[in-house]
Amino acid sequence: LTGRGAATETHSMARLFDAYIMVDWSAAAKPTLGANSIWIGILAKDARLKLQFKAVNIDTRLKARAFLEDMVAKLTRRGDRVLLGFDFSLGYPAGTAKALGLDVSKHAPWAAMHAHLASKLKDKPDNSNARYAIAAGMNYAISKGPFPFWGAPARDVVSTLASTKPDFTGQPLPEFRLAESNLRDRKLGQPKSVWQLAYTGSVGSQSLTGIPHVHALRATWPNARIWPFETGTGELTEDDLQGVEVVIAEIYPSLVKAKAEKGETLDEVQVREIARHYSQLDEKGLLGATFSTGKSLDEGKIEQIQAEEGWILGL
């Protein structure tokens, strides 16, 4: 027996997932391998139904998306349910879609934002795109000035996109999502703002270049759900996952300690350790609880997490 049937019969505590794919994304402007490029970690069952880990390093975003499409198709064909994690923000601070003038009457703000970015940002096969011009255009739509996106290299600075951080005081959009504020308040990390597009530790360009590919993958997989937007904000159970083959989630690999051995890149180690972390929680029946968002937050905040901002798995 393989696939879900076997899992239920052989474990008293059935896992929610059979395979764990973790993606360390990159906003590199040209094909890149090694450190600071795209690393995909796959923890999936071999022919003997034992979980085996494999890391793949891919030099462009378009190739990475094609690889994920192919790998997930192989796994779901054999009956596996896949947890697919991306290490960038899948949402923007509450109010962003409205500030951009997107239509949120028919779609939730997160979905309107995903569709908007997918229509604007197109990666070329050589990994180049117009992300700074697109950010400048969004700034113009939001504030007619250099707010809220910032962090342009000198050659991309224009009147609506600066290299330095704008003042967020008294502005309609916050610098951080609730998830980043939560990480910072609990001293679990120093995540950067999704508005920061360049310089040390920045993640803004990862989201800008990553969300269009998540949007395309979600469109390809009718039985996928993006958490927490499409799954709810409570603990995830087997009942919630009936008919679901793939759950796409935002991850923050630094939540798990990872140390590179000689000859390994940190990105590779991080995708391995976070994949193992979720798998071990799943084996113990504890993974479902990590899908619950901001247990200590009030209803209004949980609503904005589900409608627009998203959350980090296991936070």
Side-chain angles (χ1 to χ4, degrees):
L1 272 172
T2 57
R4 304 234 33 95
T8 346
E9 286 175 32
T10 51
H11 298 65
S12 52
M13 177 56 79
R15 286 172 176 263
L16 293 175
F17 298 94
D18 308 284
Y20 312 82
I21 300 178
M22 301 295 137
V23 184
D24 184 301
W25 197 248
S26 163
K30 54 181 193 289
T32 311
L33 288 170
N36 302 317
S37 63
I38 296 175
W39 284 89
I40 299 175
I42 304 127
L43 187 62
K45 291 176 193 156
D46 62 13
R48 303 188 317 283
L49 299 188
K50 288 235 182 305
L51 282 170
Q52 296 288 350
F53 179 81
K54 181 174 94 170
V56 184
N57 189 199
I58 299 181
D59 66 352
T60 72
R61 286 178 288 279
L62 283 168
K63 282 189 206 165
R65 181 171 106 206
F67 174 85
L68 287 168
E69 218 172 294
D70 187 51
M71 174 57 66
V72 168
K74 283 192 182 107
L75 292 167
T76 54
R77 259 201 308 274
R78 72 181 195 188
D80 284 5
R81 186 186 291 139
V82 181
L83 174 61
L84 174 57
F86 287 95
D87 73 332
F88 53 78
S89 162
L90 295 176
Y92 282 82
T96 301
K98 203 168 163 222
L100 269 171
L102 304 182
D103 181 2
V104 292
S105 62
K106 295 185 205 61
H107 303 284
W110 74 267
M113 194 69 186
H114 280 212
H116 180 68
L117 290 179
S119 73
K120 295 272 184 206
L121 196 132
K122 311 277 186 199
D123 272 319
K124 296 196 177 82
D126 69 356
N127 229 21
S128 66
N129 57 47
R131 69 171 181 268
Y132 292 110
I134 290 160
M138 288 198 280
N139 276 354
Y140 183 79
I142 289 170
S143 69
K144 305 284 181 279
F147 175 90
F149 286 102
W150 65 279
R155 66 174 181 277
D156 293 292
V157 168
V158 287
S159 63
T160 55
L161 187 66
S163 57
T164 52
K165 184 166 104 170
D167 185 2
F168 279 83
T169 333
Q171 290 284 10
L173 293 172
E175 185 177 359
F176 296 106
R177 296 180 305 156
L178 292 166
E180 282 107 27
S181 300
N182 187 296
L183 272 170
R184 287 168 162 263
D185 294 347
R186 291 164 61 194
K187 308 274 190 285
L188 292 172
Q190 283 291 311
K192 302 281 187 182
S193 162
V194 76
W195 305 123
Q196 184 184 339
L197 299 176
Y199 314 122
T200 312
S202 65
V203 291
S205 284
Q206 271 87 324
S207 291
L208 216 50
T209 58
I211 286 173
H213 292 287
V214 168
H215 182 74
L217 289 170
R218 175 65 186 87
T220 307
W221 300 327
N223 298 331
R225 298 291 177 270
I226 302 178
W227 170 83
F229 306 127
E230 302 180 290
T231 59
T233 53
E235 182 168 336
L236 205 59
T237 65
E238 184 58 51
D239 287 348
D240 298 325
L241 292 172
Q242 285 311 306
V244 176
E245 294 180 329
V246 186
V247 173
I248 299 169
E250 175 184 337
I251 60 169
Y252 187 68
S254 312
L255 286 176
V256 177
K257 294 279 173 279
K259 195 170 158 288
E261 300 296 326
K262 202 175 170 211
E264 290 181 316
T265 76
L266 184 60
D267 304 333
E268 177 184 359
V269 178
Q270 284 189 314
V271 290
R272 182 182 71 217
E273 294 309 314
I274 195 89
R276 285 186 178 159
H277 172 67
Y278 292 135
S279 170
Q280 284 159 0
L281 286 174
D282 206 2
E283 191 177 14
K284 295 175 186 145
L286 302 173
L287 185 61
T290 66
F291 283 88
S292 162
T293 60
K295 298 177 189 67
S296 58
L297 298 177
D298 63 55
E299 291 275 309
K301 286 188 172 147
I302 287 177
E303 200 177 308
Q304 78 188 45
I305 285 167
Q306 189 174 10
E308 186 158 18
E309 294 203 354
W311 196 251
I312 292 161
L313 186 57
L315 182 54

